[in-house]
Amino acid sequence: MKTLHQILESMRLDNGSYIASLSRDYSYVWIRDVCYTVLPYLYSDCYRYEKAYYALFDLFKKYEWKIDIHTRQKPVHLYEYIHARYSKDLTEVWQPWGHAQNDAIGLFLWGVGEGVRVGKKMIRDEHDRTILRKLVAYLACLEYWKEADNGMWEENKEVHASSVGACVSGLQAVRLLVDVPGDLIQKGRQALHALLPRESLSKETDLALLSLIYPYQVVSRSMAHQILFRVTSKLERTYGCIRYQGDHYYNEGSEAEWCFGFPWLGLCYSILGEEAKVMEYWKKTQRILPENGRVPELYVGGTDRPNGNTPLAWAVAMVMLLAERIQEDAFPKLAAS
């Protein structure tokens, strides 16, 4: 556990955010990756969780002018959306990218609300609260419940259940912090119900759907079981899970196998209280966990070779989270900082 924490520390920046990986290709700050990376610190007495969110609040303030525009009119070009990826000093990277990622905004809102729920000081001042209001208005302007986005995997635009669910969960989480119109959540719930158990029109199932179980807990128990059956029966492989059938990313004869799939499944079964399944996926996680703790993003499809995005902060965090749930008392509390 200490080793995994140290690996995350190697990717933590002075501003409190995290790069996605130590690799050259992923040496950037993604909103989504930061929010997942700090989940192991949600219940700890250190300040890494809050500091990461303060960095993201400051990022949104830096580009508040853009958010202001798109609380009134929908973005047309991808660069007009709130960007998904930034340099280490939290500046937009001017390179074409799939920036229409509503799930990242929903995840940020959820992370703020969840932090407040467990007693963390997430809101520093009224400007932070104003940013929350504007992000709510941004999702409303987008009509997130029917707006095609690039989704968690930053690919082709379509309506993704995982993105809609993230926004529903995020809007619910900040209702006590800022005003959220009730119909804004209801429209999302209706759209999610119509989409599930599919991820989208083109994808019957997708690893991203696990987010609706963990961390969001935004689906019923029966729907959670449907999602888990589809993921485990269609996407599970030797080194983790493929993201979806037909994925071309790092495909050398078959789809790449993402390592955080195993701990993510374990966390989902933990939410459902199914301890035997939790242990099953903990053992599978241990089997692919390198001795040095540097969990890769994936194994190249059709090979036993990890790709260069090693370690991946998000994957390391997922292993930490499952380890804490399996044997919480065996690990020392993270030191305050």
Side-chain angles (χ1 to χ4, degrees), residues 250-270:
Y250 280 97
N251 186 318
E252 292 187 7
S254 62
E255 301 93 341
E257 302 176 21
W258 288 64
C259 297
F260 61 37
F262 285 159
W264 204 349
L265 282 165
L267 290 164
C268 289
Y269 282 113
S270 178

Side-chain angles (χ1 to χ4, degrees), residues 1 8 16-17 44 49-50 57 59 61 90 101 111 172-173 184 200 230 235 243 308 311 323 335:
M1 188 67 169
L8 287 190
S17 67
S44 77
Y49 190 89
E50 297 98 310
F57 266 118
L59 180 158
K61 290 173 185 176
L90 305 183
Q101 295 177 36
Q172 287 182 157
L184 198 56
S200 65
R230 289 183 175 215
L235 307 184
R243 297 188 299 183

Side-chain angles (χ1 to χ4, degrees), residues 7-232:
I7 291 169
L8 287 190
E9 284 297 283
S10 71
M11 290 179 275
R12 186 170 183 261
L13 301 174
D14 290 342
N15 57 32
S17 67
Y18 292 76
I19 56 173
S21 178
L22 297 174
S23 72
R24 184 172 66 178
D25 288 347
Y26 275 22
S27 189
Y28 297 98
V29 174
W30 270 268
I31 293 172
R32 179 191 307 101
D33 286 58
V34 170
C35 293
Y36 274 106
T37 297
V38 296
L39 279 174
Y41 305 114
L42 177 60
Y43 296 102
S44 77
D45 57 0
C46 74
Y47 298 106
R48 286 171 181 79
Y49 190 89
E50 297 98 310
K51 287 179 180 178
Y53 275 86
Y54 296 161
L56 294 179
F57 266 118
D58 292 342
L59 180 158
F60 289 129
K61 290 173 185 176
K62 190 173 185 177
Y63 295 100
E64 191 171 0
W65 59 270
K66 173 184 283 192
I67 301 172
D68 285 340
I69 292 171
H70 298 297
T71 59
R72 302 187 301 272
Q73 61 187 51
K74 285 187 179 184
V76 176
H77 305 288
L78 285 173
Y79 66 81
E80 295 178 311
Y81 286 82
I82 296 174
H83 279 206
R85 188 181 69 149
Y86 299 82
S87 63
K88 292 178 182 178
D89 65 354
L90 305 183
T91 300
E92 288 182 345
V93 178
W94 288 102
Q95 175 187 355
W97 204 262
H99 288 301
Q101 295 177 36
N102 300 345
D103 75 290
I105 305 306
L107 174 58
F108 173 81
L109 295 176
W110 177 87
V112 172
E114 190 68 4
V116 170
R117 188 185 70 81
V118 302
K120 292 188 177 295
K121 183 183 177 183
M122 303 300 296
I123 307 297
R124 296 166 295 179
D125 52 35
E126 192 56 34
H127 198 174
D128 283 350
R129 199 178 299 273
T130 296
I131 291 296
L132 290 183
R133 292 191 191 98
K134 291 182 177 182
L135 291 177
V136 170
Y138 174 82
L139 292 180
C141 181
L142 284 178
E143 296 181 302
Y144 77 89
W145 56 92
K146 63 179 182 178
E147 176 77 4
D149 78 337
N150 295 117
M152 185 177 286
W153 311 130
E154 308 182 324
E155 296 183 333
N156 296 336
K157 286 184 74 175
E158 57 181 335
V159 181
H160 294 90
S162 57
S163 292
V164 174
C167 294
V168 168
S169 189
L171 291 167
Q172 287 182 157
V174 297
R175 281 182 302 174
L176 296 181
L177 301 175
V178 294
D179 180 53
V180 178
D183 67 329
L184 198 56
I185 296 173
Q186 185 58 28
K187 288 174 181 176
R189 284 193 170 280
Q190 290 170 349
L192 189 60
H193 180 75
L195 282 164
L196 290 172
R198 297 184 69 91
E199 163 68 347
S200 65
L201 191 61
S202 72
K203 296 186 181 72
E204 179 185 356
T205 193
D206 191 302
L207 192 60
L209 287 168
L210 295 185
S211 64
L212 304 181
I213 306 169
Y214 179 86
Y216 301 135
Q217 302 183 53
V218 75
V219 292
S220 68
R221 185 178 182 85
S222 62
M223 180 56 68
H225 275 293
Q226 285 192 59
I227 290 170
L228 287 167
F229 174 76
R230 289 183 175 215
V231 169
T232 56

